[in-house]
């Protein structure tokens, strides 16, 4: 369970177990959260729009935050609770990155992610006699 309201966020409570038909009470405390600004570029420094950005608090989260970069390559994610997080970024035509560790404190603002252009390699697989091998991976 997790709660947010404006710029405030609770810690995520994982593993709350209820027996069938049982009732339980859980208190989530909202505290000021932080926002992560992400700037995505190619290796030439050109912004990448429409990149998909996913952030998971504590590296793995049942509630990942998602955003898409604007034409300037910028996205905002938050609020997130104190602690480290993991970021993954992908865009069409580029090699995806992630997980990238976002430190609990001292992360650059904006956090810059550089993606490299992808390529497609086409070929065939042959056995020692030079015959094509069907279905090889």
């Amino acid at each position: 369970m997790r709660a947010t309201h404006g710029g405030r966020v609770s810690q995520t409570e994982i593993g709350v177990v209820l027996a069938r038909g049982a009732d339980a009470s859980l208190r989530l405390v909202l505290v000021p959260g932080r926002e992560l600004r992400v700037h995505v570029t190619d290796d030439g420094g050109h912004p990448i729009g429409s990149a998909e950005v996913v952030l998971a608090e504590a590296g793995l989260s049942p509630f990942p935050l998602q955003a898409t970069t604007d034409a300037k390559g910028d996205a905002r994610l938050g609020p997130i609770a104190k602690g480290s997080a993991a970021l993954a970024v992908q865009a069409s035509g580029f090699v995806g990155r992630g997980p990238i560790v976002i430190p609990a404190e001292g992360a650059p603002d904006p956090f810059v992610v550089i993606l490299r252009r992808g390529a497609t390699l086409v070929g065939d697989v042959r056995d020692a006699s030079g015959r094509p091998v069907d279905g090889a991976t």
Side-chain angles (χ1 to χ4, degrees):
M1 299 189 76
R2 178 180 192 264
T4 62
H5 184 266
R8 299 182 319 161
V9 63
S10 72
Q11 291 291 331
T12 300
E13 294 292 333
I14 297 176
V16 177
V17 179
L18 292 177
R20 177 181 278 171
D23 291 328
S25 177
L26 180 66
R27 182 178 177 172
L28 300 175
V29 178
L30 294 172
V31 298
R34 65 180 174 141
E35 180 179 80
L36 181 69
R37 293 187 320 130
V38 179
H39 181 68
V40 182
T41 70
D42 65 13
D43 53 7
H46 303 100
I48 300 174
S50 300
E52 297 173 25
V53 182
V54 179
L55 178 97
E57 293 173 290
L60 181 62
S61 173
F63 307 106
L65 303 177
Q66 300 177 338
T68 302
T69 58
D70 61 19
K72 296 178 183 178
D74 296 324
R76 294 175 182 261
L77 297 154
I80 61 173
K82 290 181 180 180
S84 64
L87 184 70
V89 181
Q90 65 180 21
S92 180
F94 293 87
V95 177
R97 295 269 320 267
I100 303 166
V101 175
I102 306 297
E105 295 181 20
D109 184 28
F111 192 90
V112 177
V113 178
I114 300 170
L115 297 182
R116 304 227 183 313
R117 287 228 173 252
T120 302
L121 179 64
V122 178
D124 58 19
V125 177
R126 297 185 177 264
D127 64 18
S129 301
R131 291 183 298 253
V133 177
D134 186 39
T137 56

